[in-house]
Amino acid sequence: MDKATLIGLMLGIGAVVGGQASEGGNIQSILQLTAAVIVFGGTFGAVFLSFPFREVIGAFRGIKKIIKEPPQDPYEIIRQITNYTNKARKEGILSLEKDVKSVDDPFLRKSLTMAVDGVEPNMIREVMEKELEYIDEHGKLSAKVFKSAGGYAPTIGILGAVLGLIHVMENLNDPTKLGAGIATAFVATVYGVGSANLLFLPISSKLDMRHRHEMIIKEMILEGIVSVSMGENPRLIEEKLISFLSEKQRSGQPMTTER
Amino acid sequence: MDKATLIGLMLGIGAVVGGQASEGGNIQSILQLTAAVIVFGGTFGAVFLSFPFREVIGAFRGIKKIIKEPPQDPYEIIRQITNYTNKARKEGILSLEKDVKSVDDPFLRKSLTMAVDGVEPNMIREVMEKELEYIDEHGKLSAKVFKSAGGYAPTIGILGAVLGLIHVMENLNDPTKLGAGIATAFVATVYGVGSANLLFLPISSKLDMRHRHEMIIKEMILEGIVSVSMGENPRLIEEKLISFLSEKQRSGQPMTTER
Amino acid sequence: MDKATLIGLMLGIGAVVGGQASEGGNIQSILQLTAAVIVFGGTFGAVFLSFPFREVIGAFRGIKKIIKEPPQDPYEIIRQITNYTNKARKEGILSLEKDVKSVDDPFLRKSLTMAVDGVEPNMIREVMEKELEYIDEHGKLSAKVFKSAGGYAPTIGILGAVLGLIHVMENLNDPTKLGAGIATAFVATVYGVGSANLLFLPISSKLDMRHRHEMIIKEMILEGIVSVSMGENPRLIEEKLISFLSEKQRSGQPMTTER
Amino acid sequence: MDKATLIGLMLGIGAVVGGQASEGGNIQSILQLTAAVIVFGGTFGAVFLSFPFREVIGAFRGIKKIIKEPPQDPYEIIRQITNYTNKARKEGILSLEKDVKSVDDPFLRKSLTMAVDGVEPNMIREVMEKELEYIDEHGKLSAKVFKSAGGYAPTIGILGAVLGLIHVMENLNDPTKLGAGIATAFVATVYGVGSANLLFLPISSKLDMRHRHEMIIKEMILEGIVSVSMGENPRLIEEKLISFLSEKQRSGQPMTTER
Amino acid sequence: MDKATLIGLMLGIGAVVGGQASEGGNIQSILQLTAAVIVFGGTFGAVFLSFPFREVIGAFRGIKKIIKEPPQDPYEIIRQITNYTNKARKEGILSLEKDVKSVDDPFLRKSLTMAVDGVEPNMIREVMEKELEYIDEHGKLSAKVFKSAGGYAPTIGILGAVLGLIHVMENLNDPTKLGAGIATAFVATVYGVGSANLLFLPISSKLDMRHRHEMIIKEMILEGIVSVSMGENPRLIEEKLISFLSEKQRSGQPMTTER
């Protein structure tokens, strides 16, 4: 479970709904079907028109990803690569052939296979960097889908508000409907601004952070496998890989090789 | 038929119009000729002033493109290039001369011709990458035309609203006209904000996605033909080309060569 | 005459003024000297403070440029360069010395002179690319001047509106002045938003398109002259140069060399 | 103590609170719990949803950093590196081995260790530049957290205001509540706009400036150590390092080596 | 005296104040201490919190710079460098040693010293380009300080307006205070929007233009000195240097060498 995702969701929505309730504001006065249809129908309409079907669906599947902790622990990867280095130096790089089969991560498997196949280090780097480029481009799309939803929602909220106000204006001669009508119209603004700022934009940002986290791990794998295939010193490799991590990630982590 | 384009258009416009109707809002109260003339006349005026004539027309023609599925299937291209590789390895690269004629895509034909003519792989890459650069620049213009329409429309909607309000203010001494007048003025805002967020900006985004899809296929073709002309291993070429695709595109696709 | 510039100007301003008139809105009610002084005086004040004198004047001179068709026809340039190639291959590159004098375009003349003087192709490319860089930087300034005017105008329009409203508020005890006063105040908004979206921003965009068009022709000239000085095949040169053009520019154009 | 941070905080908040008080505005009228819960709860909810837990906490710890003066004096570093150069030229680079232990800064220690270990200058540059890249990426995140808070706060302030207005509208038949109710609603706007512009965005900017200051010192260290390991002239090294500083930083600073 | 700076300041402020006055608007009604304290105190508080003390002061000192004409005439520099070339070709590069002392510009002096000292042209370029990079980064900060002031001022103006409106709402039962109170509240908006658009943002833009002007002269100096140290042809050097200037700068300038 990703702590920050959970805290963020509960704190954000809790604060707004709770703040509203504590003032004696009726929760029902911000539940309104028409406003929801206009704002969310309009926003998702705009999103589907903006992106390929498969990317919109993929973005929604991405939400699952940001609720769980990121599956790959960079220290686990560093340990794994340090093991490969030690083995390759003792028994030759061909000895890693059996290890390839037990690797789940497709990027690590592909790089390791090339190294075991004796592909030249520079060639491994070139091919895998090209692959990384496209993985990066495709991987950024989920965040982009939510960012675009976060861009459409507030303006469509305003559209809903204006439509509501038109309705109100047509009934101006019936002053009793005035206040409630305007209140109704404002709910669309609440939905648009609220969904964008408490959900869509933060989700987009978290998806971006996760994607970058995954990319850094892939860049670390690439650097590590290239170093393994060049037969570099295990301690140097470990030091190189640790430099991919932030200071916050490094603190309190045991080193894998003694010094 | 592009599913997402259709869903997007119907969901977006349906939600706004339907939401409005379900509240007893009169559809006629949001149909207003003057507002339409100001907002759409002003927006397209700004767009024509912004771009060359040929690009504005080209952008509108691009709408057809995003309603249909993208014509080029990347797997078809991969299959085709794998065939070329096999043939070139068995019968020599000159044997591809006949294949050139049956190629429709001008970019593939031009690259393949260079390879058959014996142009050096590095030279093919250099010439075709330069061509790609200009194709990319020209191809982005259609999305840019709609993006700029999506930027002008809401502000010109506000212009229309302010003009309407000026009109209202001049008739303030006739209070019966007040509400209806303001309602009229707001319709311009609805047109501006609605057309930008439900049409222009999403169409711009979809055109951008399509353009990038086409560019990736072209980049894949270039990589493939350069590899063919270097006489690389067919399985390796296929693997290289697949790395241009996203995971979502890869799933459920049969491989063309056995392993 | 640039069709799109003309259509854009007439459609944009016509739609807004016509729409206003068709509703019985008095044209005089949007003609107001004070608002014009504040909005246009303020905007041009901000623009002069933002840029060097010579650039502001240069930007206004640039308007002439976007009313006329772009003077250089890329196909004419391609034809010219193909002629140079043929001549250089038949009679030697020195034979182009006489052609240099009849060249009007300073960029083409300078490149051709270097080629005739026997400067090495790589050196020509390096020197002329550096020159292109600075031409690009200086040439973008006119569009930037209008873009900045388009940024200042709406906010200064709001400034004018607020100043107007302050005036209105001070006379609140005289209700007869209320409506007309507010109407007056709104005219500043109309001037700011209207001039930015119907004039300044579209003019900036068209100047940008023109500048890029000129740059592509210069890049084409550079590529062509370098190829001439390397003694490349005329047909290959022509094909290279055509790849600088968009598909829309290519259609319906006759080729200059038979195949 | 960082003078500008202190002046900024006191001047900004003092001006707004003092200005409000001087007009006879009751300070209590801008202290309102519900508005605070909605705006700050919503903003931090959005921020936690946007970033990993560890980065949000890290960003808040960063505030301490911008209250104190930056700990590293660039002139101190230049002096240190000039000393290393002199020693290395007199006693050989191995003589710096003892100095390594007394170095606190991890970046300087790592570079110096590589130089003492006899790693080739180009290799030191390559490894440490890669490390710098990731330090830069991770180090920018704290500023990004506050920038995103500064983006969410004003819109969530508007959300709070609209929720307040809905509440007001429901009690329209009780006119005595009207003014105070609207006032309450506006406090949310004050909190959102105020916290973003007087705290979050300026803190983000200062964190960015500090981060860049630290990066420049690291770039200076890297340049210096590479020069030391190449055995360059001490005076030239000093001149090189001084070129990393701005003119404002240079004035009034004594040179370390006589000329 | 920089004509455009002067015209800009007088036209911008004159138009707004004059327009206001011509309508019978009382100038005193837009002079209000509380609004000024909130808006300018808040803005400068935010700016001091955003930047190091030394940069804020440096930015204000920069205003002097944009009132005067830029001190360095590019043609003067070209003439100077052409003289160096001629002298170096006739009497050897060492003959320039005496000229070094009479050079005021530190960048020119440093480059020329390196050339006289016999440093290799490529090394001069590398060292001085690195220096240029940091000069560029530091030099952009003054414009950034004013740009950030121009970003804070309007939103803090809105903050002041909302605070004013809260005050008004609390006194709603005293209708005589209503209009004047709202007017007072609007003055904060005028200060925020006005100072940003008539002062801060244009000053930022002009500082940017000046900085770029100075950078181009430095790039020209670097190119020139490198060419001198390579013993290039004086006429070629002059032509190279002129290509750094815009067409507008070139017109009407006499050439220094006969052709």
Side-chain angles (χ1 to χ4, degrees):
Chain A
M1 204 66 189
D2 181 315
K3 234 180 342 187
T5 299
L6 210 73
I7 295 177
L9 272 173
M10 285 173 42
L11 182 55
I13 296 178
V16 170
V17 173
Q20 167 75 353
S22 77
E23 277 267 291
N26 205 332
I27 292 298
Q28 261 184 321
S29 68
I30 57 170
L31 292 179
Q32 221 234 339
L33 190 63
T34 309
V37 165
I38 291 177
V39 174
F40 299 114
T43 299
F44 290 115
V47 168
F48 271 109
L49 187 46
S50 298
F51 293 93
F53 190 75
R54 148 182 91 229
E55 298 302 339
V56 182
I57 302 304
F60 278 93
R61 290 224 180 95
I63 295 182
K64 259 193 331 219
K65 207 155 98 179
I66 62 168
I67 291 176
K68 294 196 220 129
E69 278 290 333
Q72 284 185 308
D73 173 15
Y75 276 94
E76 188 50 44
I77 302 281
I78 295 181
R79 242 165 263 137
Q80 217 170 331
I81 289 174
T82 316
N83 286 343
Y84 295 156
T85 331
N86 286 323
K87 204 168 168 188
R89 282 167 77 97
K90 281 186 210 138
E91 310 170 30
I93 200 155
L94 277 174
S95 70
L96 295 177
E97 197 153 25
K98 280 166 286 175
D99 297 271
V100 172
K101 282 162 200 157
S102 61
V103 172
D104 281 333
D105 181 73
F107 190 82
L108 175 52
R109 196 170 51 228
K110 194 167 175 184
S111 325
L112 195 56
T113 306
M114 290 180 90
V116 169
D117 286 359
V119 179
E120 234 200 313
N122 275 341
M123 187 66 178
I124 301 183
R125 187 186 294 280
E126 200 189 302
V127 170
M128 298 312 287
E129 269 180 358
K130 191 128 211 171
E131 174 140 6
L132 265 188
E133 232 176 81
Y134 287 94
I135 291 179
D136 193 29
E137 179 175 343
H138 295 304
K140 276 176 179 159
L141 274 176
S142 291
K144 234 175 132 182
V145 167
F146 276 103
K147 194 175 180 189
S148 113
Y152 292 131
T155 39
I156 294 179
I158 287 168
L159 186 65
V162 176
L163 286 173
L165 290 176
I166 292 175
H167 197 52
V168 168
M169 291 296 157
E170 287 174 332
N171 299 307
L172 263 193
N173 35 5
D174 183 354
T176 59
K177 285 185 182 171
L178 199 67
I182 292 176
T184 301
F186 281 167
V187 172
T189 312
V190 171
Y191 285 177
V193 173
S195 64
N197 287 284
L198 299 175
L199 293 175
F200 300 148
L201 294 175
I203 286 173
S204 167
S205 166
K206 186 63 99 9
L207 281 168
D208 240 354
M209 301 297 301
R210 276 296 168 83
H211 170 65
R212 190 60 199 131
H213 177 85
E214 286 168 16
M215 286 303 293
I216 287 180
I217 286 182
K218 284 191 173 64
E219 287 162 23
M220 205 167 82
I221 288 173
L222 175 51
E223 195 64 41
I225 296 301
V226 167
S227 298
V228 169
S229 87
M230 294 197 304
E232 277 185 10
N233 180 303
R235 199 187 117 191
L236 188 74
I237 296 183
E238 192 185 333
E239 220 163 60
K240 261 195 199 175
L241 299 189
I242 285 172
S243 74
F244 282 77
L245 305 179
S246 71
E247 259 174 77
K248 289 158 220 150
Q249 286 174 308
R250 285 185 217 178
S251 59
Q253 280 285 349
M255 284 294 105
T256 59
T257 52
E258 289 94 302
R259 307 200 162 185
Chain B
M1 204 66 189
D2 181 315
K3 233 180 344 187
T5 300
L6 210 74
I7 295 178
L9 272 173
M10 285 173 43
L11 181 55
I13 295 178
V16 170
V17 173
Q20 167 75 352
S22 77
E23 277 266 291
N26 205 332
I27 292 297
Q28 260 185 320
S29 68
I30 57 171
L31 292 179
Q32 221 234 338
L33 189 64
T34 310
V37 166
I38 291 177
V39 175
F40 299 115
T43 300
F44 290 116
V47 167
F48 270 109
L49 188 46
S50 298
F51 293 92
F53 189 74
R54 145 182 92 231
E55 299 302 339
V56 182
I57 302 304
F60 278 92
R61 289 223 180 96
I63 295 182
K64 260 191 330 217
K65 206 155 98 178
I66 62 168
I67 291 177
K68 294 196 221 128
E69 279 291 334
Q72 283 185 310
D73 173 14
Y75 276 94
E76 188 49 45
I77 302 281
I78 295 181
R79 241 165 264 135
Q80 217 169 332
I81 289 174
T82 316
N83 287 342
Y84 294 156
T85 331
N86 287 322
K87 203 168 168 189
R89 282 168 77 98
K90 280 186 210 139
E91 309 170 29
I93 200 155
L94 277 175
S95 69
L96 295 176
E97 198 154 23
K98 280 166 286 175
D99 297 270
V100 171
K101 282 162 200 158
S102 62
V103 172
D104 281 332
D105 181 72
F107 191 83
L108 176 51
R109 195 170 51 228
K110 194 166 174 184
S111 325
L112 195 56
T113 306
M114 291 180 89
V116 169
D117 286 358
V119 179
E120 234 201 312
N122 275 341
M123 187 66 178
I124 301 182
R125 187 186 293 282
E126 200 189 302
V127 171
M128 297 313 284
E129 270 180 357
K130 190 128 211 172
E131 174 140 7
L132 265 187
E133 232 176 81
Y134 287 94
I135 292 179
D136 193 30
E137 179 174 344
H138 294 303
K140 276 177 180 158
L141 274 176
S142 291
K144 235 174 132 183
V145 167
F146 277 104
K147 194 176 180 187
S148 113
Y152 293 129
T155 38
I156 294 179
I158 287 168
L159 187 65
V162 176
L163 286 173
L165 290 176
I166 291 175
H167 196 53
V168 168
M169 290 298 158
E170 289 174 330
N171 299 306
L172 263 192
N173 34 6
D174 182 355
T176 58
K177 286 185 182 170
L178 199 67
I182 293 176
T184 301
F186 281 167
V187 171
T189 312
V190 171
Y191 285 177
V193 173
S195 64
N197 287 283
L198 299 175
L199 292 174
F200 301 147
L201 294 175
I203 286 174
S204 167
S205 166
K206 185 63 97 13
L207 281 168
D208 240 355
M209 302 296 302
R210 276 296 168 83
H211 170 65
R212 189 62 198 130
H213 177 85
E214 285 167 16
M215 287 303 293
I216 287 180
I217 286 182
K218 284 190 173 66
E219 288 163 23
M220 205 167 82
I221 288 173
L222 175 52
E223 195 64 41
I225 295 301
V226 167
S227 299
V228 168
S229 87
M230 295 198 304
E232 277 185 9
N233 180 303
R235 201 188 115 192
L236 188 72
I237 296 183
E238 192 184 333
E239 220 165 60
K240 260 194 198 176
L241 299 189
I242 285 173
S243 74
F244 282 77
L245 305 180
S246 71
E247 259 175 76
K248 289 159 219 150
Q249 286 173 308
R250 284 184 218 179
S251 59
Q253 281 284 349
M255 284 294 103
T256 57
T257 51
E258 289 94 300
R259 307 198 163 189
Chain C
M1 203 67 190
D2 181 315
K3 232 180 345 186
T5 299
L6 210 74
I7 295 178
L9 272 173
M10 285 173 43
L11 182 55
I13 295 178
V16 170
V17 173
Q20 167 74 354
S22 77
E23 277 266 292
N26 204 332
I27 293 297
Q28 260 185 320
S29 68
I30 56 171
L31 291 179
Q32 222 234 337
L33 189 64
T34 310
V37 166
I38 291 177
V39 174
F40 299 115
T43 299
F44 289 115
V47 167
F48 271 109
L49 188 45
S50 298
F51 293 92
F53 189 75
R54 145 182 92 232
E55 299 301 341
V56 182
I57 301 305
F60 278 92
R61 289 224 179 96
I63 295 182
K64 260 191 329 215
K65 206 155 99 180
I66 62 168
I67 291 176
K68 294 196 220 127
E69 279 291 332
Q72 283 185 309
D73 173 15
Y75 276 94
E76 188 49 45
I77 302 281
I78 295 180
R79 239 166 266 135
Q80 216 170 333
I81 290 174
T82 315
N83 287 343
Y84 296 156
T85 331
N86 286 323
K87 204 169 169 187
R89 281 167 77 96
K90 279 184 213 142
E91 310 170 30
I93 200 155
L94 277 174
S95 70
L96 296 176
E97 198 152 23
K98 280 165 286 174
D99 297 271
V100 171
K101 281 161 201 158
S102 63
V103 172
D104 282 332
D105 182 73
F107 191 82
L108 175 52
R109 196 171 48 228
K110 193 168 176 184
S111 325
L112 195 56
T113 306
M114 290 180 90
V116 169
D117 286 359
V119 179
E120 235 200 312
N122 275 341
M123 188 65 179
I124 301 182
R125 188 186 293 282
E126 201 189 300
V127 170
M128 297 313 286
E129 270 180 358
K130 191 127 212 170
E131 173 140 8
L132 265 188
E133 233 177 80
Y134 287 94
I135 291 179
D136 193 29
E137 179 174 344
H138 295 302
K140 277 177 180 157
L141 274 176
S142 290
K144 235 175 132 183
V145 167
F146 277 102
K147 195 177 180 186
S148 113
Y152 292 130
T155 39
I156 294 178
I158 288 169
L159 187 64
V162 176
L163 287 173
L165 290 176
I166 292 175
H167 197 52
V168 167
M169 290 297 157
E170 288 174 330
N171 299 307
L172 263 192
N173 35 6
D174 183 354
T176 58
K177 286 184 181 171
L178 199 66
I182 293 176
T184 301
F186 282 166
V187 171
T189 312
V190 171
Y191 285 177
V193 174
S195 64
N197 287 283
L198 299 176
L199 292 175
F200 301 147
L201 295 175
I203 286 173
S204 167
S205 165
K206 185 63 96 13
L207 280 169
D208 240 353
M209 302 295 303
R210 276 296 168 83
H211 170 65
R212 189 62 197 129
H213 177 84
E214 286 168 15
M215 287 304 292
I216 287 179
I217 286 182
K218 285 191 172 64
E219 288 162 24
M220 206 167 81
I221 288 173
L222 175 52
E223 195 63 41
I225 295 301
V226 167
S227 299
V228 169
S229 87
M230 294 197 304
E232 276 186 8
N233 180 303
R235 200 188 116 193
L236 187 72
I237 295 183
E238 191 186 332
E239 220 164 60
K240 261 195 197 175
L241 299 189
I242 285 172
S243 74
F244 283 76
L245 306 179
S246 71
E247 259 175 77
K248 289 158 221 149
Q249 287 174 307
R250 285 184 218 179
S251 59
Q253 282 284 349
M255 283 295 104
T256 58
T257 51
E258 289 94 300
R259 308 200 162 186
Chain D
M1 205 66 189
D2 181 316
K3 233 178 346 185
T5 300
L6 210 74
I7 295 178
L9 272 173
M10 285 174 43
L11 181 55
I13 296 178
V16 170
V17 173
Q20 167 74 355
S22 76
E23 277 267 290
N26 205 333
I27 292 298
Q28 261 186 319
S29 68
I30 57 170
L31 291 179
Q32 221 234 339
L33 189 64
T34 310
V37 166
I38 292 178
V39 175
F40 299 115
T43 299
F44 290 115
V47 168
F48 270 109
L49 188 46
S50 297
F51 292 93
F53 190 75
R54 153 181 85 230
E55 298 303 340
V56 182
I57 301 305
F60 278 93
R61 289 222 181 98
I63 294 181
K64 260 194 327 219
K65 209 156 97 178
I66 62 167
I67 291 177
K68 294 195 220 130
E69 279 290 332
Q72 283 185 310
D73 172 14
Y75 276 93
E76 188 49 46
I77 301 281
I78 294 181
R79 241 164 264 135
Q80 217 170 333
I81 289 174
T82 316
N83 286 343
Y84 295 157
T85 330
N86 286 323
K87 204 169 168 188
R89 281 167 78 97
K90 281 186 211 139
E91 311 171 30
I93 200 155
L94 276 174
S95 69
L96 296 177
E97 198 153 26
K98 279 166 285 174
D99 297 270
V100 171
K101 281 162 200 157
S102 62
V103 173
D104 282 332
D105 181 74
F107 190 83
L108 175 52
R109 195 171 50 229
K110 195 167 173 183
S111 324
L112 195 56
T113 307
M114 290 181 88
V116 169
D117 286 359
V119 179
E120 233 200 314
N122 275 340
M123 187 66 179
I124 301 182
R125 188 186 294 280
E126 199 189 302
V127 170
M128 297 314 285
E129 270 180 357
K130 190 130 212 169
E131 174 139 7
L132 265 188
E133 232 177 81
Y134 286 96
I135 292 179
D136 193 29
E137 179 174 344
H138 295 303
K140 277 177 180 158
L141 274 175
S142 290
K144 234 175 132 181
V145 167
F146 276 103
K147 194 176 180 188
S148 115
Y152 292 131
T155 40
I156 294 179
I158 288 169
L159 187 65
V162 176
L163 286 173
L165 290 176
I166 291 175
H167 197 53
V168 168
M169 290 296 158
E170 287 173 332
N171 299 307
L172 263 193
N173 35 6
D174 184 354
T176 59
K177 285 185 183 170
L178 198 66
I182 293 176
T184 301
F186 281 168
V187 172
T189 312
V190 171
Y191 285 177
V193 173
S195 64
N197 287 284
L198 298 176
L199 292 175
F200 300 147
L201 294 175
I203 286 173
S204 167
S205 166
K206 185 63 100 5
L207 281 168
D208 240 354
M209 301 298 301
R210 276 295 168 85
H211 170 65
R212 189 62 197 128
H213 177 85
E214 286 168 15
M215 288 302 294
I216 287 180
I217 286 182
K218 284 191 173 65
E219 288 163 23
M220 204 167 81
I221 288 173
L222 175 51
E223 195 64 41
I225 296 301
V226 167
S227 298
V228 169
S229 87
M230 295 198 304
E232 276 185 9
N233 179 303
R235 200 188 116 191
L236 186 74
I237 295 183
E238 191 185 333
E239 220 164 60
K240 260 195 197 174
L241 300 188
I242 285 173
S243 75
F244 283 76
L245 305 179
S246 71
E247 259 174 76
K248 290 158 219 150
Q249 286 173 309
R250 285 183 217 180
S251 59
Q253 281 284 347
M255 283 295 106
T256 59
T257 52
E258 289 94 300
R259 306 199 164 187
Chain E
M1 205 66 190
D2 181 316
K3 233 179 344 186
T5 299
L6 210 74
I7 295 178
L9 272 173
M10 285 174 42
L11 181 55
I13 296 178
V16 170
V17 173
Q20 167 74 355
S22 76
E23 277 267 289
N26 204 332
I27 293 298
Q28 260 186 320
S29 67
I30 57 171
L31 291 179
Q32 221 234 337
L33 189 65
T34 310
V37 166
I38 292 178
V39 175
F40 298 115
T43 299
F44 290 115
V47 168
F48 271 109
L49 188 45
S50 298
F51 293 92
F53 190 75
R54 149 180 89 230
E55 298 302 339
V56 183
I57 300 304
F60 278 93
R61 288 223 180 96
I63 294 182
K64 260 192 329 218
K65 207 155 98 178
I66 61 169
I67 291 177
K68 292 194 220 131
E69 278 291 332
Q72 283 185 309
D73 172 15
Y75 276 94
E76 187 50 44
I77 302 281
I78 295 180
R79 241 164 264 136
Q80 216 169 334
I81 289 174
T82 316
N83 287 343
Y84 295 156
T85 331
N86 286 323
K87 203 169 168 187
R89 282 166 78 99
K90 280 185 211 141
E91 311 170 29
I93 200 155
L94 278 174
S95 69
L96 296 176
E97 199 153 24
K98 280 164 286 173
D99 297 271
V100 171
K101 280 161 202 158
S102 61
V103 172
D104 282 332
D105 182 72
F107 190 82
L108 176 51
R109 195 172 49 229
K110 195 167 174 185
S111 324
L112 195 56
T113 307
M114 290 181 89
V116 168
D117 286 358
V119 179
E120 235 200 312
N122 275 341
M123 188 65 180
I124 302 182
R125 188 185 293 282
E126 201 189 299
V127 170
M128 297 313 286
E129 270 181 356
K130 190 130 213 169
E131 174 139 7
L132 265 189
E133 233 176 80
Y134 287 94
I135 291 179
D136 193 29
E137 179 174 345
H138 295 303
K140 277 177 180 157
L141 274 176
S142 291
K144 235 176 132 182
V145 167
F146 277 103
K147 194 175 180 187
S148 115
Y152 292 130
T155 39
I156 294 179
I158 287 169
L159 187 65
V162 176
L163 286 173
L165 290 176
I166 292 175
H167 197 52
V168 168
M169 289 298 157
E170 287 175 331
N171 298 307
L172 264 192
N173 34 6
D174 183 355
T176 59
K177 286 186 182 170
L178 200 66
I182 293 176
T184 301
F186 281 166
V187 172
T189 312
V190 171
Y191 285 177
V193 173
S195 64
N197 287 283
L198 298 176
L199 292 175
F200 301 148
L201 294 175
I203 286 173
S204 167
S205 166
K206 185 63 97 12
L207 281 169
D208 241 353
M209 302 297 302
R210 276 296 167 86
H211 170 65
R212 189 60 199 130
H213 177 84
E214 286 169 15
M215 286 303 294
I216 288 180
I217 286 182
K218 285 190 172 65
E219 288 162 24
M220 204 167 82
I221 289 173
L222 175 51
E223 195 63 41
I225 296 301
V226 167
S227 299
V228 168
S229 86
M230 294 197 304
E232 276 184 10
N233 180 303
R235 200 187 115 193
L236 187 73
I237 296 183
E238 191 186 333
E239 220 165 59
K240 260 195 198 175
L241 299 189
I242 285 173
S243 74
F244 283 77
L245 305 180
S246 71
E247 259 174 77
K248 289 158 221 150
Q249 287 174 308
R250 284 184 218 179
S251 58
Q253 281 285 349
M255 283 294 106
T256 59
T257 51
E258 289 93 300
R259 306 200 164 187

